[in-house]
Amino acid sequence: MKKINSLLLLIFCFTMALGQKKKQKPLPPPKVEAIKPSVVEETNKVSDIQYVSPPALPNDHINIQKPNVIENLNLDSNAKKCACDNVLIILGADKFGEGFTAKDFGLRGNVKNIKNVEKRDTLVGYSETLSKGNTVEMTFSKQGFLETYAREMIDKLSQSQGFKSFSQAFYNDKNQIISTEIYLGDTKNLMAKNLFLYNEMGFYQMQRTDKDNKPSQTRITFECFKTDKTFSVIKKDVDKARNHETNEMYVFNNQNQLVKKQEIFNNGGNTTKNKTSAYVYNNLGQLTEENFLNKDGTIRNYLHHQYNPQGDVLKSIYKDGDYILYDYKYDNQNNWIWKRKTSYEKSRYGNEMEIDERLTWDRTILYY
């Protein structure tokens, strides 16, 4: 019996040992199943794309471009169109002291030839004023009309000859200017011509051509208007090549004195400059005030003039207190033959006045 029990115990232990060995065997590797790729639907169709507008910004961050504005000349609404018959006054309106007659330059007597030599005082002022010796020479007819105008500009650095030009004016039997010729260097090098055209309303257009007689892209036209007290000229200068346009208005009183000037500059369909000046004269016909106006008509700046007994400007004063002094020497016709202009301005370091620039002119005059 003990033997049977021992045998049964041995069989049980052996069976348990075999079971433990079976548990220690590694498991077979898992089966790998093929994974089907997911199908991606096409989304490049127009109907499948949605456009979403960006969120709106606050008003103060939106850059709204202002529309172009063309400003107009302030012509008197009562003015009526008339003939442009006083051509020389019209052409000389934009520059005081210069024009097309000897009287425009304030000359007395029957002047034949005049030569001005400008010299700059290199001991005062700034470095850009170091040029000296610039000359202007003019000749006049016996009737007092400008015939030739020559200018020579001296180079600022080398003191040698720089720019030199020569212009000649031609008139008809009515003393109307009909053309000018402009030369560079000498009379062999024609650069341009100005033709002055007339119709039943008088002077109406200035046409420029190059040396080959080809018209330029610039066209200058004139229209004139009258009221009981004023004579106004509208000058329109159009440059098609650069898309520029300048409109100017000159207003004269019954004494043919320029009392107002307005200039408007348009660039690319937009007004970039609009400035107006007004002028006042004394009972001797001398210009005493040049007033530079704001758009509302108030004075932005001014230049007031005082005169000596000969009728030449003695002192000019600006609104801010800067001023210019003039000194003269005269010939026996009471035309100046030497002039000095000294400009004073407030020092940048204080209220003391200091010389900004000093110029002198020597003038030689020949008479008929």
Side-chain angles (χ1 to χ4, degrees):
M1 190 66 181
K2 288 183 181 180
K3 289 181 180 180
I4 293 173
N5 290 336
S6 299
L7 181 60
L8 289 174
L9 182 60
L10 181 62
I11 292 171
F12 176 76
C13 292
F14 182 73
T15 303
M16 290 295 293
L18 287 177
Q20 291 295 327
K21 287 183 179 180
K22 285 181 181 180
K23 286 183 182 180
Q24 291 176 359
K25 276 187 177 182
L27 297 175
K31 293 181 180 180
V32 178
E33 296 183 0
I35 300 175
K36 294 181 180 181
S38 59
V39 179
V40 179
E41 296 182 359
E42 295 181 358
T43 58
N44 59 350
K45 296 179 182 179
V46 176
S47 60
D48 296 332
I49 301 175
Q50 294 183 352
Y51 295 94
V52 180
S53 60
L57 297 173
N59 290 334
D60 56 349
H61 293 291
I62 297 177
N63 184 15
I64 301 176
Q65 186 175 3
K66 295 181 180 179
N68 289 348
V69 176
I70 297 294
E71 298 178 12
N72 299 314
L73 297 169
N74 299 324
L75 179 66
D76 191 325
S77 59
N78 296 318
K80 296 181 180 179
K81 194 169 183 178
C82 65
C84 294
D85 48 5
N86 204 334
V87 184
L88 298 182
I89 286 181
I90 295 171
L91 295 176
D94 60 342
K95 43 192 176 182
F96 290 105
E98 293 190 3
F100 287 88
T101 70
K103 289 183 178 180
D104 295 333
F105 294 88
L107 295 171
R108 303 168 182 89
N110 200 358
V111 176
K112 181 179 181 179
N113 179 278
I114 184 170
K115 183 177 181 179
N116 293 338
V117 180
E118 175 193 276
K119 297 179 181 179
R120 296 177 181 262
D121 189 341
T122 59
L123 299 179
V124 298
Y126 302 105
S127 59
E128 62 265 24
T129 67
L130 295 181
S131 66
K132 61 180 180 179
N134 299 333
T135 63
V136 172
E137 187 169 4
M138 296 171 282
T139 62
F140 298 88
S141 68
K142 286 185 177 181
Q143 292 76 28
F145 295 103
L146 180 67
E147 291 183 332
T148 63
Y149 186 99
R151 177 179 298 221
E152 183 176 351
M153 309 297 289
I154 303 300
D155 185 81
K156 292 182 179 180
L157 298 178
S158 66
Q159 300 299 310
S160 62
Q161 178 179 319
F163 175 79
K164 186 176 181 180
S165 66
F166 177 83
S167 301
Q168 192 169 5
F170 301 90
Y171 303 83
N172 60 18
D173 55 2
K174 298 179 182 179
N175 289 327
Q176 292 175 323
I177 187 168
I178 55 176
S179 67
T180 57
E181 295 178 353
I182 305 168
Y183 299 85
L184 184 62
D186 55 48
T187 55
K188 296 180 180 179
N189 190 14
L190 177 65
M191 294 302 296
K193 290 183 180 181
N194 290 322
L195 304 177
F196 302 88
L197 307 180
Y198 301 83
N199 58 17
E200 65 278 0
M201 294 296 289
F203 177 55
Y204 75 98
Q205 185 175 336
M206 189 178 81
Q207 189 179 81
R208 174 163 290 185
T209 63
D210 62 15
K211 59 182 179 180
D212 299 320
N213 251 1
K214 294 180 180 178
S216 70
Q217 293 291 317
T218 301
R219 183 169 176 261
I220 304 175
T221 58
F222 298 83
E223 288 184 297
C224 299
F225 302 84
K226 268 188 177 181
T227 66
D228 293 338
K229 297 182 179 180
T230 61
F231 171 69
S232 301
V233 180
I234 303 296
K235 176 184 176 183
K236 188 173 184 179
D237 186 343
V238 179
D239 187 342
K240 293 182 179 179
R242 295 185 294 174
N243 198 18
H244 290 177
E245 178 179 312
T246 303
N247 293 283
E248 294 174 278
M249 180 178 66
Y250 307 109
V251 181
F252 300 87
N253 60 19
N254 290 331
Q255 288 75 44
N256 288 332
Q257 296 168 334
L258 181 66
V259 294
K260 184 180 179 181
K261 175 185 174 182
Q262 183 182 11
E263 181 183 9
I264 295 177
F265 181 72
N266 298 325
N267 183 12
N270 192 37
T271 296
T272 56
K273 181 173 67 175
N274 184 349
K275 61 180 184 179
T276 302
S277 303
Y279 309 97
V280 179
Y281 302 81
N282 61 18
N283 56 3
L284 298 176
Q286 298 167 337
L287 175 65
T288 56
E289 296 181 25
E290 297 180 55
N291 297 315
F292 311 103
L293 309 181
N294 296 307
K295 287 186 178 181
D296 61 359
T298 57
I299 296 176
R300 173 176 51 85
N301 199 356
Y302 62 70
L303 187 59
H304 291 178
H305 305 293
Q306 301 172 6
Y307 291 81
N308 63 15
Q310 287 83 3
D312 292 310
V313 177
L314 187 63
K315 185 176 183 180
S316 299
I317 306 170
Y318 289 96
K319 184 179 179 180
D320 63 0
D322 294 349
Y323 61 92
I324 305 170
L325 294 181
Y326 296 88
D327 298 284
Y328 303 90
K329 294 178 182 179
Y330 293 88
D331 66 6
N332 55 11
Q333 295 276 354
N334 251 352
N335 291 315
W336 66 262
I337 54 176
W338 178 87
K339 179 170 76 170
R340 181 173 63 191
K341 172 186 174 182
T342 308
S343 301
Y344 292 86
E345 67 175 15
K346 290 180 182 177
S347 170
R348 66 186 68 181
Y349 305 108
N351 292 325
E352 299 83 6
M353 302 302 293
E354 61 182 15
I355 297 177
D356 173 55
E357 182 182 62
R358 179 180 284 145
L359 299 162
T360 60
W361 290 268
D362 289 312
R363 188 158 82 169
T364 305
I365 305 175
L366 296 178
Y367 299 88
Y368 281 102

